[in-house]
Amino acid sequence: MPVLLPTSRLRRQPQGADARNQMPPGHAVVIAGGGPTGLMLAAELALAKVDVAILERRASQDLVGTRAGGLHARSIEILDQRGVADRFLREGQIVQLAGFAWTRLDISDLPTRHAYGLALRQSRIERILADWVEELKVPIYRNVELTGFAQDETGIDVTLSSGETLRADYLVGCDGGRSLVRKAAGIDFAGTSPTLSNLMAEVEMREVPAWGLRHDGLGFHGLSKTESGRVLVVVTEATLARTGEPSLRDLSDALVAVYGTDFGLHNPAWISRFTDAARQAATYRNGRVLLAGDAAHIHHSVGGQGLNLGVQDAVNLGWKLAQVVHRISPDSLLDSYHAERHPVGARVLKNTMAQIALLRRGDDGLKAAREVIADLLGMDEPRKRFGAMMSGLDIRYDLGEGHALLGRRMPDLDLIVEGQKLRLFSLLQEARGVLVNFGKRGGVAATPWVDRINVVDAGYDGAWELPVIGQVAAPDAVLVRPDGHVAWVGNENQHGLEDALTRWFGPPAAA
C-alpha cells in the first residue's frame, strides 16, 4: 500500500495520480503513532515551532470500536489552556464521569471551572485533535510504520516499512501497548499478567437482551443500548485461553456462558478484547527515544483514565522537548519527564488494579467490600479526594518543599490585566511559561528570560483554593510552566526565582 503523504509545513506536496511524492529527509521530532497521545504531542510541539511529523499505520483517522469514552476534568483544563476545549465540549455530553469501582464520584463542588467529565468517544476525540493538528500544519505520514531505528550522538535514523529512512533529533513512541519503539529501545515493560479477559462489542440482537450490569463467578458484564440502537456488550470471558482478534463466535460463547443465550447476536460493528494486564515502562526515556501514552503504560479501562493519562503525558513532555530541540535548555531537562510522569502512571496502575480486585468476582465477600467502599466514598472528604485523583485534578509534581501551589496545577483565576478581565488559562494558549505578578506593578522581573516566558502584572481579589487541599495563602507571584503546573511561588524579594527560571527555561540570555 502506498504511503499517503500530507501537506507539509515546509512545502506543498504535488497532488494527483501522477505525483511523485518524496518524504522529506528528516524532522526535528518524529512521533510514532497518531492516536490521542501522538496528536496532542504534535500539537504541543507545533505550538512551540518545532518541526514535527507523525507516522501512522492507518490510512485515515477512522477508528473502529469504541475504546475510550471520555475526558476527565484535568484533560478538559489542559485543552482549555490551549484554547480548544470548546471544540470538544460542543460535541460531547457533560456528565459526572469520575468513578471508582462503579461508584460514581460527584466532583461538581471541586474548585475548577470544569467540575465534570465529558462523554465523548475516542473516534471523535481523535478527529477533533487531528483537525487541530492539521491547522497547525503538522505532516502525518499514513500507511507507514516504523520498523527500527539507530541513534547516535547527533540524532536518530528511523527506518520505515516503506523502505525510507527519516533523520530526527528525537523519536517519541506513542504507538500503543505493543509499542515497537519501546521494544526496539530495549526498555523493560514490567508488571502483572492478565487475570481476566473482557470482550466489548457493538452488535445487533434479534431478542431483547437482559439490560444492565451483572456480577457472577466469572466476573462483570453489561448490556446497554447505544445511540444507534445497537447493543453495547461488555462481557468477561470464561477463560484466558483465547487471545488475539476476537470473533463473533468468541462473543457468542461468552454471552451463552453468562446469560445462557447470545440473544440472536448478529451484524457486529466491531468487537475488541482487553485484559487487566498492568505494565509500565521501566524508563520513559532511552537517549533520544521517549515513550508516552500506552507505549509507556497499560492497565484495565475501568475508571476511563488511559486516554487522559496519555494526553497529560504529551503536555508534560511537549514543551520540554521543544526547549531542548531549540537548544534553550540542556538535554537533561528531558529527565524530568520520567521523574514527573512515571509516578503518575504508577498510581493509575495501582488504582485500576484495586478497582478490578473489587469488581473481579460476584461473590458475597467482594459484594460486601464494594458496599463498604461505596459507603466510604459517599462521605465528603473521601469523595473529594478520590474524585480529584480519578479526574487528575490533584496531581502534584515533586518540585521540593514550599507553598502548597508548588508542583500543582495552576487554578484558572479571573484576573484583571491592564484594566481588562482575563482568564489565567488564556495566558497559556501559546504553550509558553508565564510569570504572574500580583504585587506592585513591575515588582517581579525576569528580563533575561523574556524571550521564553511572558511576564504579566495582574490583579486578583478572590480566594485561592485547590482540590483536596482547600484554601491556600495568596502568593505575591507565581511562575507557571507551559503545562499549567506551578514552578515557583514567591514574593517581591524574588528568592529562588532565578534558579527556577534556569531549571525550567534554560540559562539566562546574555546581556
Side-chain angles (χ1 to χ4, degrees), residues 277-294:
R279 297 186 179 278
Q280 188 174 25
T283 178
Y284 286 10
R285 182 191 181 197
N286 180 350
R288 295 179 175 274
V289 179
L290 299 116
L291 304 175
D294 289 353

Side-chain angles (χ1 to χ4, degrees), residues 31-91:
I31 298 171
T37 302
L39 290 168
M40 189 72 205
L41 179 59
E44 290 289 291
L45 291 167
L47 287 171
K49 304 298 189 293
V50 171
D51 176 21
V52 56
I54 297 174
L55 307 176
E56 172 55 46
R57 61 182 176 80
R58 290 175 289 172
S60 72
Q61 206 62 46
D62 294 343
L63 183 67
V64 177
T66 186
R67 302 198 186 183
L71 296 169
H72 282 299
R74 180 54 187 158
S75 297
I76 301 171
E77 282 192 340
I78 284 172
L79 295 166
D80 201 359
Q81 289 172 185
R82 299 298 182 252
V84 296
D86 286 349
R87 304 184 186 196
F88 298 84
L89 293 172
R90 281 195 298 267
E91 297 204 23

